[in-house]
C-alpha cells in the first residue's frame, strides 16, 4: 500500500495515499480502534451539509475566496451523495465531543477540494481542513447540529412513512 506523510500539531503520520482523510483521522483510526460500529453515514452526511452551508456563508461574507468555496461545496456534495463513503473509517467509540468525526469530514472535504482545484492530497494547499472547511466552527456546535439534522433526515425517510402506514392500517 502506498503511503503519504501528513502532518498535524502532534507530528507526522503515514496515511494511505488513496484515502482523502488526513493525520487526525489516521491517529483516531489507530488509537480508537474500538468495536465494530462505524460512524453512521447519515451523521457524516449531516456534517457535510453543515460544511456546505458554512462555505456558502463564508463566501458571501468574503471570508473565503469563491474558488475555494466552490471546491468545498462540490466536495461536500460528493460526501452528501455518499460517493466518498469509503473515506470515513472511524468507529463510534471516540472521545466525547465528536471532534475526530468532525475532523474526518473536514479532512476528506479539504483533500477532495484540493484535488478538484488541481492540487495534491495532504498538502493543505490551497484548502486547509481547519482554516477553510472548519472555519469559525466548533465541534461543540457542529456535532449536536449534525445529530439534529440526522434525526430530521431519518424522521422524513423512516418515521413519517411508517406512521402513514400505521394510520392507514388503523
Amino acid at each position: 500500500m502506498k503511503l503519504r506523510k501528513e502532518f498535524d500539531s502532534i507530528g507526522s503520520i503515514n496515511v494511505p495515499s488513496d484515502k482523502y482523510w488526513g493525520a487526525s483521522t489516521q491517529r483516531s483510526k489507530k488509537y480508537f480502534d474500538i468495536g465494530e460500529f462505524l460512524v453512521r453515514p447519515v451523521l457524516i452526511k449531516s456534517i457535510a451539509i453543515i460544511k456546505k452551508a458554512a462555505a456558502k456563508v463564508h463566501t458571501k461574507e468574503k471570508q473565503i475566496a469563491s474558488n475555494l468555496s466552490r471546491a468545498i461545496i462540490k466536495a461536500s456534495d460528493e460526501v452528501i451523495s455518499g460517493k466518498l463513503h469509503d473515506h470515513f473509517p472511524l468507529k463510534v467509540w471516540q472521545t466525547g465531543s465528536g471532534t475526530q468525526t468532525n475532523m474526518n469530514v473536514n479532512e476528506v472535504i479539504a483533500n477532495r477540494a484540493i484535488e478538484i482545484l488541481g492540487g495534491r492530497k495532504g498538502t493543505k494547499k490551497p484548502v486547509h481542513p481547519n482554516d477553510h472547511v472548519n472555519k469559525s466552527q466548533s465541534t461543540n456546535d457542529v456535532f449536536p447540529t449534525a445529530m439534529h439534522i440526522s434525526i430530521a433526515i431519518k424522521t422524513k425517510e423512516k418515521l413519517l412513512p411508517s406512521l402513514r402506514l400505521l394510520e392507514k392500517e388503523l
Side-chain angles (χ1 to χ4, degrees):
M1 168 178 32
K2 285 187 169 185
L3 301 171
R4 69 177 186 271
K5 193 169 290 272
E6 287 245 3
F7 300 88
D8 62 10
S9 60
I10 297 174
S12 67
I13 190 167
N14 289 324
V15 176
S17 294
D18 64 330
K19 300 301 180 190
Y20 285 112
W21 69 70
S24 293
T25 303
Q26 191 65 37
R27 283 187 210 293
S28 178
K29 189 174 171 356
K30 179 178 179 179
Y31 294 114
F32 290 89
D33 187 18
I34 304 166
E36 300 298 318
F37 300 107
L38 297 178
V39 174
R40 302 291 296 168
V42 70
L43 187 60
I44 301 298
K45 175 181 181 174
S46 298
I47 295 172
I49 289 168
I50 294 166
K51 304 302 173 179
K52 179 179 178 177
K56 288 180 177 185
V57 171
H58 289 127
T59 298
K60 182 180 177 192
E61 297 299 320
K62 300 186 182 343
Q63 295 178 0
I64 295 179
S66 60
N67 66 321
L68 301 185
S69 180
R70 281 191 303 273
I72 290 169
I73 290 166
K74 183 173 181 177
S76 295
D77 282 338
E78 290 180 9
V79 172
I80 292 164
S81 74
K83 180 179 177 185
L84 301 177
H85 176 73
D86 293 338
H87 300 274
F88 299 97
L90 300 184
K91 306 287 176 64
V92 297
W93 307 110
Q94 303 172 18
T95 59
S97 66
T99 300
Q100 294 153 315
T101 298
N102 188 37
M103 281 306 298
N104 184 195
V105 176
N106 292 332
E107 289 172 341
V108 169
I109 291 172
N111 276 319
R112 180 61 185 121
I114 289 166
E115 198 175 71
I116 289 166
L117 292 168
R120 195 170 41 86
K121 284 187 294 233
T123 61
K124 297 184 174 75
K125 294 179 184 176
V127 179
H128 192 281
N130 202 40
D131 297 348
H132 298 112
V133 180
N134 197 54
K135 183 176 183 59
S136 302
Q137 299 166 52
S138 166
T139 298
N140 290 335
D141 297 320
V142 169
F143 204 83
T145 301
M147 290 171 54
H148 285 94
I149 292 169
S150 296
I151 291 166
I153 289 169
K154 288 300 182 181
T155 296
K156 186 177 177 185
E157 287 178 357
K158 289 193 164 207
L159 179 60
L160 293 178
S162 295
L163 288 174
R164 282 187 213 100
L165 178 62
L166 178 61
E167 178 185 44
K168 183 181 172 185
E169 291 300 318
L170 289 174

